[in-house]
């Protein structure tokens, strides 16, 4: 067994912009906190931003992937958020959604609440957990080259797939244009299913 000691040097906003540029018509779910703020800089009707529910991003992505089997679904979330919902790996592995990908922006900290270190700084490898849960592919990337190399897997690889993307500890302003959770849900749903979608 080897313990990875490389540190992340990628910039999280650059990573998000790189992934957004390749997203095509993929549906995206962003975890609470910084990945939602990162995505907010490229606000998109096909993005559902979680806004307070920590640990729910991967399971929201699973539900979406099962409901929309012809669409690619990409969950973008933080290491702390993914650690809180780590049991999702088991359910996703058991369900084997071919169209689901997860990208964890791993800064090894809970940045929004004050940069407390997370478990990924202390030897916990999320990619290993996902592999142990029967993901089709799961890897950790550290460099621009590795990021570029994993993009085809995120957007085209037979799922479920995971990329843990190690980033530096740079923090950005916490801003989001739309703060109403119900409106965020309705906006995403109407865009996906049509404006006359039933709500009962
Ligand atoms: C159940 C619950 N516990 C704690 C919080 C407070 N909280 C909000 S964001 C956050 C940190 C998230 O860390 P991570 O997912 O790693 O995101 P990043 O480091 O990119 O900000 C925490 C602890 C919360 N919103 N809900
Ligand atoms: Mg983090």
């Amino acid at each position: 067994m080897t313990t990875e000691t490389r540190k992340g040097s990628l910039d999280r906003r650059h990573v998000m912009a790189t992934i957004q540029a390749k997203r095509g018509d993929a549906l995206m779910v962003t975890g609470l906190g910084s990945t939602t703020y990162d995505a907010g800089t490229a606000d998109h009707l096909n993005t559902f931003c979680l806004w307070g529910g920590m640990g729910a991003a991967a399971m929201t992505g699973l539900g979406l992937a099962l409901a929309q089997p012809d669409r690619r679904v990409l969950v973008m979330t933080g290491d702390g958020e993914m650690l809180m919902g780590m049991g999702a790996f088991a359910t996703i592995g058991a369900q084997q959604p071919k169209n689901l990908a997860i990208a964890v922006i791993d800064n090894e900290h809970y940045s929004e609440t004050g940069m407390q270190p997370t478990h990924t700084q202390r030897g916990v490898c999320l990619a290993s957990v996902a592999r142990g849960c029967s993901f089709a592919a799961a890897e950790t990337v550290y460099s621009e080259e590795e990021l570029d190399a994993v993009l085809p897997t995120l957007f085209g690889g037979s799922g479920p797939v995971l990329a843990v993307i190690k980033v530096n500890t740079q923090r950005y302003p916490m801003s989001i244009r739309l703060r109403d959770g119900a409106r965020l849900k309705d906006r995403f749903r109407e865009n996906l299913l049509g404006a006359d979608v039933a709500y009962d």
Side-chain angles (χ1 to χ4, degrees), residues 3-100:
T3 303
E4 185 61 74
T5 54
R6 293 163 74 191
K7 284 288 167 200
S9 59
L10 291 166
D11 175 85
R12 61 183 307 137
R13 294 259 157 125
H14 170 72
V15 170
M16 179 62 87
T18 301
I19 290 175
Q20 293 272 15
K22 300 279 183 192
R23 66 181 287 169
D25 71 347
L27 304 172
M28 193 177 281
V29 176
T30 57
L32 93 165
S34 301
T35 47
T36 281
Y37 306 136
D38 295 339
T41 60
D43 197 14
H44 199 295
L45 289 174
N46 280 343
T47 298
F48 176 61
C49 301
L50 281 167
W51 185 227
M54 189 165 173
M59 289 304 274
T60 302
L62 172 62
L64 193 56
L66 294 176
Q68 296 288 326
D70 297 329
R71 300 290 292 270
R72 190 72 178 180
V73 176
L74 175 61
V75 174
M76 300 270 312
T77 193
D79 49 312
E81 205 277 345
M82 193 67 246
L83 284 159
M84 181 166 274
M86 206 161 71
F89 284 146
T91 303
I92 291 167
Q95 289 280 348
Q96 288 291 304
K98 301 284 175 252
N99 55 332
L100 179 63

Side-chain angles (χ1 to χ4, degrees), residues 42-179:
D43 197 14
H44 199 295
L45 289 174
N46 280 343
T47 298
F48 176 61
C49 301
L50 281 167
W51 185 227
M54 189 165 173
M59 289 304 274
T60 302
L62 172 62
L64 193 56
L66 294 176
Q68 296 288 326
D70 297 329
R71 300 290 292 270
R72 190 72 178 180
V73 176
L74 175 61
V75 174
M76 300 270 312
T77 193
D79 49 312
E81 205 277 345
M82 193 67 246
L83 284 159
M84 181 166 274
M86 206 161 71
F89 284 146
T91 303
I92 291 167
Q95 289 280 348
Q96 288 291 304
K98 301 284 175 252
N99 55 332
L100 179 63
I102 301 174
V104 175
I105 302 295
D106 185 2
N107 60 1
E108 302 187 346
H109 291 82
Y110 300 97
S111 73
E112 183 170 339
T113 47
M115 296 304 279
Q116 300 86 358
T118 70
H119 308 58
T120 62
Q121 196 183 114
R122 300 182 180 182
V124 173
C125 175
L126 289 169
S128 299
V129 177
R131 279 194 294 273
C133 290
S134 300
F135 272 52
E139 59 185 290
T140 305
V141 309
Y142 294 85
S143 67
E144 191 76 39
E145 294 72 28
E146 291 168 340
L147 175 63
D148 288 343
V150 86
L151 290 175
T153 305
L154 284 181
F155 287 113
S158 184
V161 297
L162 171 77
V164 178
I165 303 168
K166 292 281 185 180
V167 298
N168 61 33
T169 53
Q170 173 72 42
R171 297 172 81 190
Y172 286 97
M174 296 184 271
S175 61
I176 178 172
R177 276 180 231 162
L178 186 55
R179 290 173 179 270

